[in-house]
Amino acid sequence: MAITALPNSRTEPDGSAVIRVLSYNIRSLRDDEEALARVIRACEPDLVFVQEAPRFFRWRKHAARLAARTDLVVLSGGATAAGPLLMCSLRATVERTEDVLLPLTPGLHRRGFATAVVRFGGARVGLLSCHLSLQTDERLAQTGMLLERLAAMDVPYTITAGDINERPTGRSFTRLARELQDAWAVAPWGGEYTSTPDRPHQRIDAIFASAGIEVLGCGVPLDLPGVTAADLSAATDHLPVLAALRIPAAGPA
């Protein structure tokens, strides 16, 4: 799809906010960290929903280093959420954060959610970064837990992003898209497929927004200034998803 300009971040006079949201599976920083940082900086995100953040030795130090290299701060998650992480720019005013571990299925990888509630101007929004199971039935169960967690945040708007480990025709992806706006489907921009960088052929990473949020554009930032094919290939084994969203102003907390 032809690239048009993705809106820049801004706060409107009525208190609503246009923000840039990035979702990225970074494979525990096992690849080219400098290339990864260049891609993130070029996207100029207000929020980054990370999957496969470092979880072991000195994981907090590694997460803080990535945040510093991308002019962001760590918001929540990491090892305490079994991999999902949230980072934000200094535009965000943080109300609260919570890391959630999901039930462990013997023999399968532990999963979790990194969550937060933040404000941009007068816009208040709940956030959830996820990396769902590779196993079909467990993934569907985690989708239900995800939707329950969003409902329990008691906020006017929510954004969920992550590695769904499933294509849009799958049961879990379909359930999320039925309850939330699949940002790519609403306003496609850039590239569609997120896996793999060298041979993109499937969309398994996505950004979802609750009703009331306006999706201004969403997709893989293939031709965004500052993002190169070499960096996308070297950074990790997924391509990032970037969205511009307009969040209406909300009343006081």
Side-chain angles (χ1 to χ4, degrees):
M1 176 169 294
I3 292 289
T4 57
L6 198 69
N8 292 321
S9 303
R10 63 182 183 272
T11 302
E12 306 285 13
D14 65 357
S16 63
V18 174
I19 65 171
R20 285 192 175 194
V21 175
L22 186 70
S23 183
Y24 214 168
N25 184 320
I26 65 172
R27 198 159 70 155
S28 299
L29 297 177
R30 288 184 292 171
D31 300 288
D32 188 332
E33 194 170 330
E34 290 298 331
L36 178 70
R38 285 193 293 270
V39 171
I40 294 174
R41 284 198 305 268
C43 290
E44 299 182 326
D46 299 290
L47 298 168
V48 182
F49 293 66
V50 174
Q51 303 84 49
E52 292 194 35
R55 295 184 294 118
F56 300 111
F57 184 64
R58 293 182 176 174
W59 66 268
R60 289 183 175 87
K61 179 179 180 180
H62 295 312
R65 183 178 68 243
L66 178 63
R69 288 180 173 177
T70 53
D71 301 319
L72 300 165
V73 295
V74 173
L75 182 53
S76 69
T80 48
L85 178 83
L86 287 166
M87 300 192 297
C88 66
S89 72
L90 295 180
R91 285 188 69 208
T93 299
V94 182
E95 285 191 14
R96 65 180 188 267
T97 65
E98 183 178 5
D99 299 333
V100 180
L101 289 175
L102 301 181
L104 176 63
T105 300
L108 297 179
H109 176 65
R110 189 68 178 263
R111 304 285 175 172
F113 303 143
T115 76
V117 176
V118 301
R119 284 179 174 266
F120 294 94
R124 182 167 177 253
V125 61
L127 315 174
L128 189 152
S129 178
C130 66
H131 187 184
L132 301 185
S133 176
L134 287 165
Q135 202 278 331
T136 303
D137 291 336
E138 184 182 50
R139 183 167 60 245
L140 186 61
Q142 291 170 354
T143 300
M145 296 174 204
L146 185 160
L147 293 170
E148 290 172 358
R149 178 63 54 170
L150 293 181
M153 285 186 176
D154 191 28
V155 290
Y157 307 105
T158 61
I159 302 168
T160 300
D163 181 348
I164 310 304
N165 265 325
E166 184 176 88
R167 299 180 184 186
T169 54
R171 290 187 297 163
S172 298
F173 203 119
T174 299
R175 184 174 182 188
L176 288 173
R178 185 169 62 243
E179 300 289 336
L180 305 165
Q181 300 182 83
D182 174 4
W184 160 262
V186 172
W189 167 93
E192 177 179 6
Y193 299 134
T194 62
S195 176
T196 56
D198 295 329
R199 191 174 65 87
H201 64 284
Q202 59 182 350
R203 182 163 74 98
I204 60 173
D205 306 84
I207 295 172
F208 297 92
S210 63
I213 294 178
E214 182 182 1
V215 182
L216 304 174
C218 177
V220 177
L222 296 175
D223 298 316
L224 194 72
V227 176
T228 67
D231 279 349
L232 289 172
S233 181
T236 179
D237 63 344
H238 284 241
L239 292 171
V241 183
L242 178 64
L245 307 174
R246 179 182 284 111
I247 307 172

